[in-house]
Amino acid sequence: AARAAAERRGLAALPPRPAGRGEHPANAAASARLEERADRQGVPEHRAAQLLAAVRWIDDSPHDLAAVAREGNFRKVFPFGEEAAAAAEAAFREAP
């Protein structure tokens, strides 16, 4: 009900994701994108769990994963499925 009310008012269902000091902005953007995908209605529970595990992996990474993606090596190090990898790479391309 809360999600529907927020959408009716043009608001995001999830609050903006903060980026910590020293956190790479592109990593935070990729994590936010994956969280949004996991939170969508109709996403099977196992897929949402996988996406949230990917968020934790990105959050724990000390590396600028956007640079890894630009080099073409992101999928070599990212231990999650194609859907999560594609969403994360898209967020890295769009990040500041």
Side-chain angles (χ1 to χ4, degrees):
R3 177 193 319 270
E7 289 174 2
R8 281 194 303 274
R9 290 171 177 77
L11 302 172
L14 293 174
R17 192 169 206 281
R21 187 177 347 161
E23 183 177 4
H24 299 284
N27 289 11
S31 289
R33 177 176 279 232
L34 294 179
E35 281 181 334
E36 289 169 5
R37 280 182 174 260
D39 193 53
R40 287 184 187 156
Q41 285 184 327
V43 173
E45 186 175 344
H46 69 280
R47 182 164 293 164
Q50 182 185 41
L51 291 169
L52 293 174
V55 167
R56 288 189 300 277
W57 185 87
I58 291 170
D59 286 346
D60 288 344
S61 176
H63 305 290
D64 179 3
L65 295 173
V68 175
R70 282 191 303 273
E71 295 166 353
N73 294 319
F74 182 72
R75 292 183 192 225
K76 293 177 184 173
V77 299
F78 191 66
F80 299 96
E82 181 66 27
E83 178 189 0
E89 284 183 322
F92 291 136
R93 282 192 301 275
E94 297 168 4

